[in-house]
Amino acid sequence: MFTLTEEHDMLRDAARAFVQEKMPTAHLRAVRESKPDGFDRALWKEMSDLGWAGILIPEEHGGAALGYVGMGLVLEECGRTLAPSPLHSTALVGASALILGGTAAQKAEWLPKIAAGEAVVALAIDESAHHAPEKIKLDAKGRALTGEKKYVADGHVADLLIVAARDGGAVTLFLVPARADGVTITPLKTLDSRGAADIAFNGAKAEPLGGPELVDQVLDRARIGLAAEMLGQATQAFETTSEYLKTRTQFGQLIGSFQALQHRAAKMFVELELTRSCVLAALAALDENRNDVAEHASLAKARAGETLHLVSNEMVQMHGGIGMTDAADPGLYLKRARVAEALYGSASYHRDRYAALNNF
Amino acid sequence: MFTLTEEHDMLRDAARAFVQEKMPTAHLRAVRESKPDGFDRALWKEMSDLGWAGILIPEEHGGAALGYVGMGLVLEECGRTLAPSPLHSTALVGASALILGGTAAQKAEWLPKIAAGEAVVALAIDESAHHAPEKIKLDAKGRALTGEKKYVADGHVADLLIVAARDGGAVTLFLVPARADGVTITPLKTLDSRGAADIAFNGAKAEPLGGPELVDQVLDRARIGLAAEMLGQATQAFETTSEYLKTRTQFGQLIGSFQALQHRAAKMFVELELTRSCVLAALAALDENRNDVAEHASLAKARAGETLHLVSNEMVQMHGGIGMTDAADPGLYLKRARVAEALYGSASYHRDRYAALNNF
Amino acid sequence: MADGPGPQTSKELEEFRSETRAWLEANCPALMRTPMGEDDAVWGGRDWKPKHPEQKQWLDAMASKGWTVPTWPTEYGGGGLSPQENTILQDELRRIKARPALMSFGIWMFGPVLLEYGNEAQKKKYLPQIARGEIRWCQGYSEPGAGSDLAGLQTKCEDKGDHYLINGQKVWTSYANEADWIFCLVRTDTKVKHEGISFILFDMTSPGVETRPIKLISGASPFCETFFTDVKVPKENLVGKLNGGWEIAKRLLMYERTSISAGGFGGGAGALPIEEIAKHYVGVEDGKLEDRDLRARIAAHKMYDKAFALTVRRAQEMAKAGDNVSHMASMFKVAAATMNQEKTELIVEAMGNRALGWSGDGFTKGEILAPRAMLRAKGNSIEGGTTEVNLNVVAKRVLGLRDHQ
Amino acid sequence: MADGPGPQTSKELEEFRSETRAWLEANCPALMRTPMGEDDAVWGGRDWKPKHPEQKQWLDAMASKGWTVPTWPTEYGGGGLSPQENTILQDELRRIKARPALMSFGIWMFGPVLLEYGNEAQKKKYLPQIARGEIRWCQGYSEPGAGSDLAGLQTKCEDKGDHYLINGQKVWTSYANEADWIFCLVRTDTKVKHEGISFILFDMTSPGVETRPIKLISGASPFCETFFTDVKVPKENLVGKLNGGWEIAKRLLMYERTSISAGGFGGGAGALPIEEIAKHYVGVEDGKLEDRDLRARIAAHKMYDKAFALTVRRAQEMAKAGDNVSHMASMFKVAAATMNQEKTELIVEAMGNRALGWSGDGFTKGEILAPRAMLRAKGNSIEGGTTEVNLNVVAKRVLGLRDHQ
């Protein structure tokens, strides 16, 4: 379950080398100042050329078919430096929705574009301040969408929208080109500088994609992939903080030699190791097509959220005053953490879901 | 609100002197081994002679009328050494119910006996594993009680039972002599060695006591008084542990010089100070007849429960292996803590109630 | 507990109350009784430009009575009030919802220590200026290498015969770029640690003083880096003894902790109670917040908050009764920081994706403030003594636990 | 990751599986495939009286194959199995729900270090007795003044020429009153600390050995105080070098932590999942536990529990793939203790007043066990290295944080 193939090892090493060189946290700062899209299109092209946009996509559609474990490894590396890109929304969520629910024609139209980095895809789910897929109201009668979606990740830069809506009874997914008539996109300036959008639909024409069970399948993939990114963020936040504990001196001693901080660091290490197991197990469950994906997804997202919350707070606190400055990295991790914690369901949401999945 | 009168100071000093001398934890051990009642009747007589059984009772009925703040101070001192007696069930809960809801005849019959330490009173409330006064079902039609009560504190030694039951619609309180026909008392051997009882009623004749609002009034007094006892337990558990940190040596150092333990001790101190304020404010709210007694009661009981839970666990852990032995005191505090935490509503119950009282 | 005769009879105090009420009624402008916005605080100082004329009118009126610093002696610009009278004044100010006439580190921190440690000339010169809001002070304490370990400071102060010469760098100097004068810790002896520190005052317009605002993670810049290059300071600006500054510094920190804890931290979007925010963004089912997990945590937080408020009140009553409550300052600092961080995090969680905005029109003003308040609150456990340092203080001074021997 | 040729082909392993399955089918008595009660564990030893003849039959069968210690060499009574074969054996044992044939500190702790540090005579003498369950061992480590600081031990061992003479006291000796032999840490040099400790073995029936059971807060007495007064021990009973015992002691502690964490702690009333217990005692509304606050905390605990199980599995897979996972032992110990304490507390909370009984007929057997399991679990963060010591180990050895210099 936890064993990586040689291909996976190579993919992770390549991702780490690329991200560390081209997308350190300084890159996020540059994007924040000068790229209203929230990412750098030239670098996204390079990432696509490396095959990342097509990791999940079958070879016949121009992808590499390396599976979710591979996707997770790359997302984790991107998380380490907070590298901004549409990788999660497009290569994971968008590609998954099309692969799982698309017709042959839909796949043929969109998957090659995704694999080539030529189309950005965004999943429009939530309609209020909180993740609540069971409450979706967006009306899809007659294949024309009417209603509103909130905080659509990468919705401000998407070429293709995948929209959860209700056609009569059950909620299903629909495809709508982002520039179609009846679609109004309001870009949001967000805490993590990546941007998002509120989107209004006013009779926009939509193509259905798969059946009702597709919504859960796609959401669980979004949650697990995001958990992998969050694992990377938390791991790096912890490692950066550990290094600081080994270099910063107060009272004539390295602050990392104070036992109270040592114990807090050790507890974070325990949390990180447990979270890593949950994330890797969830990715493997997807590749193995297991029937407990839902439980794994809620476990991974909730634990990644709790661990990242803890570690991002401790990162600021252990850096002291420096941690409060915009010039230092802790604030960047803290801001991205709060966004990632909320997306696709908070820890509270997933505790509730985990309990329900376990019948209590 | 927090200022004590000279009378209060004297009462507390007298209580401390008596309890420390006559009822140290060794007394609880002796009771555990040799007193199936869970307390020592001779000492209860002495406590009554000191006026404690009548602290709340008007002078005309043989009491001292020193109010709830006074009652709380004595309960806190008893809590410090885990001194077992029917003080809470009888002098606080029983006396309160009669004072607030009794007819002149009922008061004249029972209050002098309580003040003299000649009658033990027990309040029978819960009917399942959890405190849930809103779910009481015990049937009181025709002033004859039918149904069951669980874990009635001091129910195994009571002379008089005060029973919450439903006469048609609302829940009210009823008086039943413990040895009346139709009352079956099953004594329980409890974790804290004090004992309790499950009680079955089979058509037992009962006298009504006051109206429906009386149930809440009496329960809130029970909660606040128990919180005062728990404050004493937690305070002593903390002080005993602090002393141990100053005497036990490991690795050539006093264990209290290890920073991780210092920080944990400091955090406990903060919790204790906050809890003390809640308990004292709740007692004062009773004496001042304020309209926010319910909120104060839930605040005091929940915080006392959380603080005592924390401190009793840390007491064992910081004592190390010694703390695990029956011969040392930590186990005694831990066992009484778990009983007190559950009685009259757990912290979880009172968080729920506090939220409801605040309309959310 | 004997009820000894107080310095004032209750009749005298009642008279004071009615006079005060009448005076406030006549002198507090209507605008000064309305809620304050973000930029409405009055900090005074040489360069202060009132946003509204009523601000100046209110400040001058209060200063004329000495009521910006009600308990300071009248000869230094104070009101000379007894503690009981001050309680009445604060009651009456709250009653009409009056805005503070003046916010000032001079009032909260520097003034109290100058009253205790300054010489007569210093008190006469500086205290009335503080009381009238004429001079705005900032605090030169932390340095890049001396945060929690404040006594590790390195800013050098040399005796040049007729003046001192100061070289070095401070950091976290609140509003240094807007302040007129600084009270500053400097090193006057490099061979010893605590015993080589002095407490000195100087004008921020002195040649060689430079300030550079620090941008925080919340986006605001309330603090500066402050650089001193060959700054000449007159010798009479030393407060207390040469190398005797550490005692003054610690006393001032106590005032700082107390003022932070008692006043609470700035609330940002916290004008509404959390549960009202949560009801709006989370929704209600059977009269309860729909997210029951969040509801339980909000309830626990509100109880902690209430317990804290009750404890502040208890400490005040104890102080009034003559008990020493100085041991509670570190505890309050720890608890207040915890509470404010918990509160701002719960608000962000309750607001869901509506608290994930940074700027722009997609979010309301309150929605933009919520994450910034959460980010700002992270500093509460760092500024004015970190939570770690305060826990050390509780463990050692209050509980009597010792260091490794 | 190259798939090098393993020592055994998968065909060979499949053959081993079918042979094993057949053997177990033929040799594991039916009773030994039913769930174990409280007193059904087989610890062996000289004085052991089987509760059922099937226990002895099953132990002898397994011992005849060397499968009580499957990976030990056959010359010492082991099964000589490869790791892959052992995995298959354990799989097959689980498949038929076989009870452990033998529980033993000799198997889990002492045997592994003797294999590494013992001389040939010692291995030949002691290991086969362990494998066959003939001799039950106990561990003489902690002393009243040496708990977390184990190396502070004072039990004196003097060289008397032809024998050693031991005087002192041990505490927390598990089942010392039922054990036949003890492996024991003693002080052979009082002038140094770690370098003055030796590892020695002796018979518990030696004159001068006395044991006294310790009653715990849970009511049980699984541990003893153990006293040594002029106990004579043959010189060949020293394991490793004189004054070289600390290295052996640490290695043994590692085996202890691993066995505690991997096996989990005893569950008491934990046979049912928490949520089933809670449903019974708390009640259900709309398919959810009525106490939603408790429900959220049970869910969080179950997730932690699952995360832990996944991490154990991950470590096993890593170890199988040849990675060094020794750094994870302290982490597992901390997490396992936290988890078991959380679990037993949640069960007590869920059972309400039904978990407040100590004995008697007013409560069911499961209700009586619940608080005792909670009390017992408090020791999990103390025994086998306290949580504090294990956090120190993680901080220093895994994270590389240093002590004060």
Side-chain angles (χ1 to χ4, degrees):
Chain A
M1 181 178 230
F2 296 100
T3 317
L4 298 183
T5 65
E6 208 172 338
E7 259 178 331
H8 286 145
D9 282 335
M10 285 168 54
L11 180 62
R12 187 198 46 219
D13 293 348
R16 183 168 301 178
F18 180 88
V19 171
Q20 298 283 335
E21 186 199 335
K22 306 217 170 175
M23 305 173 92
T25 52
H27 172 69
L28 173 62
R29 291 178 189 282
V31 164
R32 179 173 77 163
E33 298 311 322
S34 62
K35 307 276 180 194
D37 283 352
F39 72 107
D40 179 318
R41 289 189 183 267
L43 273 172
W44 174 234
K45 182 78 181 96
E46 283 191 53
M47 291 164 85
S48 306
D49 291 347
L50 286 169
W52 299 356
I55 286 179
L56 294 179
I57 294 173
E59 295 179 8
E60 62 195 282
H61 293 300
L66 285 168
Y68 287 95
V69 170
M71 185 85 240
L73 293 171
V74 176
L75 282 165
E76 183 185 340
E77 292 305 321
C78 291
R80 278 184 167 265
T81 65
L82 307 173
S85 83
L87 187 67
H88 181 268
S89 61
T90 302
L92 187 145
V93 184
S96 290
L98 284 155
I99 292 167
L100 290 165
T103 63
Q106 288 166 336
K107 288 183 193 173
E109 181 181 358
W110 289 105
L111 290 177
K113 284 189 199 161
I114 291 174
E118 289 163 6
V120 169
V121 189
L123 176 69
I125 283 284
D126 295 321
E127 301 179 358
S128 72
H130 292 273
H131 183 62
E134 59 285 358
K135 292 191 187 166
I136 286 170
K137 290 196 187 126
L138 197 89
D139 187 8
K141 273 196 287 288
R143 300 194 176 174
L145 305 183
T146 301
E148 287 190 15
K149 292 289 181 184
K150 293 287 187 191
Y151 208 93
V152 177
D154 287 333
H156 62 306
V157 288
D159 301 294
L160 176 66
L161 299 173
I162 298 177
V163 185
R166 216 174 265 282
D167 183 3
V171 175
T172 48
L173 297 183
F174 293 84
L175 292 185
V176 190
R179 279 164 284 275
D181 285 345
V183 177
T184 309
I185 296 179
T186 306
L188 301 173
K189 299 270 177 207
T190 63
L191 194 56
D192 60 354
S193 306
R194 294 206 190 175
D198 289 347
I199 306 184
F201 298 91
N202 192 359
K205 287 187 67 182
E207 284 178 34
L209 190 72
E213 72 290 348
L214 185 63
V215 181
D216 275 347
Q217 288 179 344
V218 172
L219 281 177
D220 278 336
R221 279 154 180 79
R223 289 159 182 153
I224 293 169
L226 186 56
E229 189 196 313
M230 292 162 81
L231 173 65
Q233 289 160 20
T235 304
Q236 186 61 52
F238 176 71
E239 290 177 7
T240 300
T241 305
S242 288
E243 281 313 304
Y244 191 73
L245 293 177
K246 292 174 192 170
T247 50
R248 170 75 174 173
T249 299
Q250 288 282 280
F251 304 104
Q253 298 288 350
L254 292 174
I255 60 174
S257 67
F258 287 96
Q259 197 194 31
L261 295 191
Q262 289 184 342
H263 280 200
R264 280 156 55 187
K267 284 179 190 168
M268 281 194 272
F269 174 77
V270 175
E271 294 302 313
L272 277 165
E273 288 292 319
L274 297 187
T275 299
R276 175 169 299 281
S277 308
C278 296
V279 169
L280 296 180
L283 292 163
L286 289 175
D287 283 338
E288 293 166 14
N289 239 319
R290 290 175 37 179
N291 61 7
D292 57 356
V293 163
E295 212 172 308
H296 271 296
S298 282
L299 177 65
K301 182 63 173 54
R303 283 217 51 91
E306 285 169 342
T307 300
L308 182 56
H309 191 88
L310 170 72
V311 175
S312 61
N313 278 342
E314 286 282 42
M315 185 184 201
V316 175
Q317 181 68 20
M318 290 186 178
H319 277 78
I322 294 290
M324 286 298 291
T325 64
D326 187 68
D329 281 352
L332 299 178
Y333 283 86
L334 191 58
K335 289 169 184 174
R336 175 61 188 162
R338 294 301 175 273
V339 173
E341 287 170 43
L343 280 179
Y344 305 112
S346 66
S348 175
Y349 176 88
H350 286 292
R351 278 193 289 270
D352 179 73
R353 185 172 183 248
Y354 196 84
L357 289 167
N358 280 278
N359 299 311
F360 70 94
Chain B
M1 178 178 231
F2 295 100
T3 315
L4 298 183
T5 65
E6 206 171 338
E7 260 177 332
H8 286 144
D9 283 334
M10 285 168 55
L11 180 62
R12 186 198 47 219
D13 294 347
R16 181 168 303 178
F18 180 87
V19 170
Q20 299 283 336
E21 188 200 331
K22 306 218 170 174
M23 305 174 93
T25 53
H27 171 69
L28 173 61
R29 291 179 188 281
V31 164
R32 180 174 77 163
E33 298 310 322
S34 62
K35 306 277 179 193
D37 284 351
F39 72 107
D40 179 316
R41 289 188 183 266
L43 274 172
W44 173 234
K45 183 78 180 96
E46 284 191 52
M47 291 164 83
S48 307
D49 291 347
L50 286 168
W52 299 356
I55 285 179
L56 294 178
I57 293 173
E59 295 177 8
E60 63 196 281
H61 293 301
L66 286 169
Y68 287 95
V69 169
M71 185 85 240
L73 293 171
V74 176
L75 283 165
E76 183 185 339
E77 293 305 321
C78 291
R80 277 183 168 266
T81 65
L82 307 173
S85 83
L87 187 68
H88 181 268
S89 61
T90 301
L92 188 144
V93 184
S96 290
L98 283 155
I99 292 166
L100 291 165
T103 62
Q106 288 166 337
K107 288 184 195 175
E109 181 182 0
W110 289 106
L111 290 177
K113 284 189 199 160
I114 291 175
E118 289 163 8
V120 170
V121 188
L123 176 69
I125 283 285
D126 295 321
E127 302 179 359
S128 73
H130 292 273
H131 183 62
E134 60 285 358
K135 292 191 186 165
I136 287 170
K137 289 196 189 124
L138 197 89
D139 187 6
K141 272 196 289 288
R143 301 195 176 173
L145 304 184
T146 301
E148 286 190 15
K149 293 289 182 184
K150 293 287 185 189
Y151 208 93
V152 178
D154 287 333
H156 62 305
V157 287
D159 301 293
L160 176 66
L161 299 175
I162 299 178
V163 185
R166 216 175 266 282
D167 182 4
V171 174
T172 48
L173 297 183
F174 293 84
L175 293 186
V176 189
R179 279 165 283 276
D181 285 344
V183 176
T184 310
I185 296 179
T186 307
L188 301 174
K189 300 270 177 207
T190 63
L191 194 56
D192 60 353
S193 307
R194 293 205 192 177
D198 289 348
I199 305 184
F201 297 91
N202 191 359
K205 288 187 67 182
E207 284 178 35
L209 189 72
E213 73 289 348
L214 185 62
V215 181
D216 275 346
Q217 289 180 343
V218 172
L219 281 177
D220 279 336
R221 280 156 180 77
R223 289 157 181 154
I224 293 169
L226 186 56
E229 190 197 314
M230 293 162 81
L231 173 65
Q233 290 160 20
T235 303
Q236 186 61 53
F238 176 71
E239 289 177 8
T240 300
T241 305
S242 289
E243 281 313 305
Y244 190 73
L245 293 177
K246 291 175 194 170
T247 49
R248 169 75 173 172
T249 299
Q250 288 282 279
F251 305 104
Q253 298 288 350
L254 292 174
I255 59 173
S257 67
F258 287 95
Q259 197 195 30
L261 296 191
Q262 290 184 343
H263 280 200
R264 278 155 57 187
K267 284 180 191 167
M268 281 193 273
F269 173 77
V270 175
E271 294 302 312
L272 277 165
E273 287 293 320
L274 296 187
T275 298
R276 175 168 298 280
S277 308
C278 297
V279 170
L280 295 180
L283 292 163
L286 288 175
D287 283 338
E288 293 166 13
N289 238 319
R290 289 174 40 176
N291 61 9
D292 57 356
V293 163
E295 212 171 310
H296 271 295
S298 282
L299 177 65
K301 182 64 173 55
R303 283 215 52 88
E306 285 168 342
T307 300
L308 182 56
H309 191 88
L310 170 72
V311 175
S312 60
N313 278 341
E314 286 282 42
M315 186 184 200
V316 176
Q317 181 68 19
M318 291 187 178
H319 277 78
I322 293 291
M324 287 297 292
T325 63
D326 186 68
D329 281 353
L332 299 178
Y333 283 86
L334 191 58
K335 290 169 183 174
R336 174 61 188 161
R338 292 304 176 273
V339 174
E341 286 170 43
L343 279 179
Y344 305 113
S346 66
S348 176
Y349 175 87
H350 286 291
R351 278 193 292 269
D352 180 73
R353 184 170 183 247
Y354 195 84
L357 289 166
N358 280 277
N359 299 310
F360 71 93
Chain C
M1 192 179 292
D3 273 314
Q8 287 155 300
T9 63
S10 54
K11 182 153 172 293
E12 283 168 338
L13 288 173
E14 273 320 301
E15 267 167 37
F16 177 76
R17 185 184 293 276
S18 51
E19 284 165 22
T20 301
R21 187 174 295 187
W23 187 88
L24 289 175
E25 208 48 70
N27 289 279
C28 184
L31 181 65
M32 294 297 102
R33 307 183 193 192
T34 62
M36 272 167 67
E38 282 279 295
D39 322 316
D40 288 334
V42 171
W43 290 89
R46 288 173 192 147
D47 301 330
W48 176 48
K49 308 242 179 334
K51 219 171 128 187
H52 310 286
E54 287 89 342
Q55 290 180 325
K56 175 112 179 56
Q57 186 190 334
W58 176 223
L59 170 57
D60 289 346
M62 286 290 277
S64 74
K65 301 279 282 184
W67 286 359
T68 51
V69 286
T71 58
W72 291 9
T74 49
E75 66 261 43
Y76 306 130
L81 300 192
S82 69
Q84 293 98 321
E85 287 170 337
N86 188 31
T87 302
I88 290 170
L89 171 61
Q90 300 306 326
D91 279 353
E92 292 300 318
L93 285 164
R94 263 194 302 276
R95 205 182 60 81
I96 62 167
K97 300 193 175 109
R99 296 185 189 175
L102 182 60
M103 318 271 282
S104 155
F105 298 126
I107 294 176
W108 302 327
M109 296 190 263
F110 173 52
V113 301
L114 199 67
L115 273 168
E116 195 169 346
Y117 294 95
N119 60 36
E120 193 54 31
Q122 291 168 336
K123 292 193 234 183
K124 277 270 164 53
K125 175 173 177 189
Y126 299 116
L127 294 175
Q129 295 174 337
I130 291 172
R132 293 193 300 265
E134 290 167 359
I135 295 293
R136 183 169 178 181
W137 287 83
C138 65
Q139 176 187 31
Y141 265 45
S142 294
E143 298 182 6
S148 287
D149 181 16
L150 182 60
L153 61 91
Q154 298 300 334
T155 291
K156 198 167 58 174
C157 175
E158 293 165 285
D159 188 339
K160 293 289 181 183
D162 64 338
H163 67 273
Y164 293 114
L165 194 69
I166 296 181
N167 278 284
Q169 181 187 350
K170 294 288 173 182
V171 73
W172 305 118
T173 335
S174 302
Y175 301 113
N177 53 340
E178 299 175 18
D180 304 311
W181 274 67
I182 187 168
F183 49 93
C184 193
L185 294 179
V186 290
R187 179 151 302 286
T188 38
D189 187 340
T190 54
K191 296 182 297 296
V192 284
K193 191 171 178 181
H194 297 82
E195 299 76 15
I197 292 170
S198 298
F199 191 99
I200 202 164
L201 319 172
F202 52 93
D203 194 316
M204 289 292 280
T205 60
S206 310
V209 175
E210 206 187 323
T211 63
R212 201 179 297 158
I214 301 168
K215 189 172 172 195
L216 293 189
I217 58 177
S218 62
S221 300
F223 303 107
C224 293
E225 294 180 287
T226 309
F227 303 88
F228 309 128
T229 314
D230 288 338
V231 179
K232 282 190 184 177
V233 176
K235 298 197 82 162
E236 68 262 28
N237 290 17
L238 183 76
V239 177
K241 296 206 192 80
L242 189 71
N243 295 323
W246 185 243
E247 185 188 337
I248 308 178
K250 280 191 300 180
R251 182 59 62 99
L252 193 140
L253 278 179
M254 203 192 78
Y255 287 116
E256 181 178 7
R257 277 168 205 173
T258 306
S259 85
I260 289 178
S261 309
F265 296 102
L272 275 177
I274 306 183
E275 68 270 26
E276 296 305 322
I277 295 173
K279 280 185 196 172
H280 178 73
Y281 287 96
V282 174
V284 176
E285 192 181 47
D286 300 336
K288 297 178 179 180
L289 279 180
E290 259 190 84
D291 182 337
R292 298 297 183 81
D293 184 330
L294 178 64
R295 174 177 180 263
R297 287 179 289 124
I298 290 177
H301 167 75
K302 284 189 69 82
M303 290 164 106
Y304 191 88
D305 191 56
K306 176 84 178 178
F308 180 77
L310 288 169
T311 308
V312 170
R313 181 159 165 196
R314 182 160 67 90
Q316 285 165 345
E317 290 189 21
M318 284 165 72
K320 209 181 272 180
D323 294 347
N324 181 357
V325 293
S326 66
H327 69 285
M328 293 174 99
S330 284
M331 179 194 93
F332 282 130
K333 175 66 175 58
V334 170
T338 305
M339 210 168 48
N340 198 44
Q341 289 172 348
E342 223 178 69
K343 182 174 82 179
T344 54
E345 286 280 13
L346 282 168
I347 289 173
V348 165
E349 185 178 345
M351 288 170 66
N353 62 47
R354 294 299 105 184
L356 304 180
W358 184 248
S359 60
D361 299 332
F363 302 93
T364 67
K365 195 182 165 194
E367 287 170 350
I368 293 291
L369 288 176
R372 290 177 186 244
M374 178 274 288
L375 292 164
R376 171 65 189 85
K378 298 303 171 207
N380 298 159
S381 48
I382 297 169
E383 62 204 315
T386 63
T387 286
E388 287 79 6
V389 163
N390 279 300
L391 290 173
N392 287 343
V393 170
V394 172
K396 283 166 197 161
R397 303 220 194 119
V398 184
L399 306 181
L401 299 174
R402 302 196 307 176
D403 270 330
H404 283 343
Q405 297 299 314
Chain D
M1 192 178 293
D3 273 316
Q8 286 155 300
T9 65
S10 55
K11 184 154 168 291
E12 283 168 339
L13 288 174
E14 273 320 301
E15 268 168 35
F16 177 77
R17 185 184 294 277
S18 52
E19 284 164 22
T20 300
R21 188 174 294 187
W23 186 90
L24 290 174
E25 209 47 71
N27 289 279
C28 184
L31 183 66
M32 294 297 102
R33 306 183 195 193
T34 62
M36 273 168 62
E38 281 279 297
D39 322 316
D40 289 334
V42 171
W43 291 88
R46 289 175 191 145
D47 302 329
W48 177 48
K49 308 241 178 333
K51 220 171 125 185
H52 311 285
E54 287 90 340
Q55 290 179 325
K56 176 113 179 54
Q57 185 190 335
W58 177 222
L59 171 57
D60 288 347
M62 285 291 277
S64 73
K65 301 280 282 184
W67 286 358
T68 51
V69 286
T71 58
W72 291 8
T74 49
E75 66 260 45
Y76 307 130
L81 300 192
S82 70
Q84 292 98 321
E85 287 169 337
N86 187 32
T87 303
I88 289 170
L89 171 61
Q90 300 307 325
D91 279 354
E92 292 300 317
L93 284 164
R94 261 194 304 276
R95 208 183 58 81
I96 62 167
K97 300 197 174 105
R99 296 185 190 175
L102 182 60
M103 318 270 283
S104 156
F105 298 126
I107 294 177
W108 302 326
M109 297 190 261
F110 173 52
V113 302
L114 199 68
L115 274 167
E116 196 169 345
Y117 294 96
N119 60 36
E120 193 54 31
Q122 290 168 336
K123 292 192 232 183
K124 277 269 163 54
K125 174 172 178 192
Y126 299 115
L127 294 175
Q129 295 173 336
I130 291 172
R132 293 193 298 266
E134 291 167 359
I135 295 292
R136 182 169 179 182
W137 287 84
C138 65
Q139 176 188 29
Y141 265 46
S142 294
E143 298 182 6
S148 287
D149 181 15
L150 182 60
L153 61 92
Q154 299 300 334
T155 291
K156 199 166 57 175
C157 174
E158 292 165 285
D159 187 340
K160 294 289 181 184
D162 65 338
H163 67 273
Y164 292 115
L165 193 70
I166 296 182
N167 279 284
Q169 182 188 350
K170 294 287 173 183
V171 73
W172 305 117
T173 335
S174 302
Y175 302 111
N177 51 340
E178 300 175 18
D180 304 311
W181 275 67
I182 188 167
F183 48 92
C184 192
L185 295 179
V186 290
R187 179 151 301 287
T188 38
D189 186 341
T190 54
K191 296 183 297 299
V192 286
K193 190 171 179 181
H194 297 81
E195 297 78 14
I197 293 170
S198 297
F199 190 101
I200 202 163
L201 319 173
F202 52 93
D203 194 315
M204 290 291 279
T205 59
S206 310
V209 175
E210 204 187 323
T211 64
R212 199 179 297 158
I214 301 168
K215 188 170 173 197
L216 293 189
I217 58 177
S218 62
S221 299
F223 304 106
C224 292
E225 293 181 287
T226 309
F227 303 88
F228 308 127
T229 313
D230 287 338
V231 178
K232 281 189 185 179
V233 177
K235 298 198 83 165
E236 67 264 28
N237 290 17
L238 184 75
V239 177
K241 296 205 192 80
L242 189 72
N243 295 323
W246 185 242
E247 186 189 338
I248 308 177
K250 280 192 301 180
R251 181 60 60 100
L252 193 140
L253 278 179
M254 204 191 77
Y255 287 116
E256 180 178 7
R257 274 168 208 172
T258 306
S259 84
I260 289 179
S261 309
F265 296 102
L272 275 176
I274 305 183
E275 68 270 26
E276 296 307 321
I277 297 173
K279 279 185 195 171
H280 178 73
Y281 287 96
V282 174
V284 176
E285 191 181 49
D286 300 335
K288 297 178 178 182
L289 278 180
E290 259 191 87
D291 183 337
R292 298 299 183 81
D293 184 330
L294 178 64
R295 174 177 181 263
R297 288 179 288 123
I298 290 177
H301 167 75
K302 284 189 69 81
M303 291 164 106
Y304 191 88
D305 191 55
K306 177 84 178 177
F308 180 78
L310 288 168
T311 307
V312 170
R313 180 158 167 195
R314 182 160 67 90
Q316 285 164 345
E317 290 190 22
M318 285 166 70
K320 211 181 272 179
D323 295 346
N324 181 356
V325 293
S326 65
H327 69 284
M328 292 173 102
S330 285
M331 181 195 93
F332 282 130
K333 175 66 174 59
V334 169
T338 304
M339 211 168 47
N340 198 45
Q341 289 173 348
E342 223 178 69
K343 182 174 82 180
T344 54
E345 285 280 11
L346 283 168
I347 289 173
V348 165
E349 184 177 345
M351 289 169 66
N353 62 47
R354 293 301 106 183
L356 304 180
W358 185 248
S359 61
D361 298 331
F363 303 93
T364 67
K365 194 180 166 201
E367 287 170 349
I368 294 290
L369 288 176
R372 290 176 185 245
M374 178 274 288
L375 293 164
R376 172 65 189 87
K378 298 302 172 208
N380 298 159
S381 48
I382 297 168
E383 62 205 313
T386 63
T387 285
E388 287 78 7
V389 163
N390 279 300
L391 289 173
N392 287 343
V393 170
V394 171
K396 283 166 197 162
R397 302 217 195 120
V398 184
L399 306 181
L401 299 172
R402 303 196 305 177
D403 271 330
H404 284 342
Q405 297 299 313

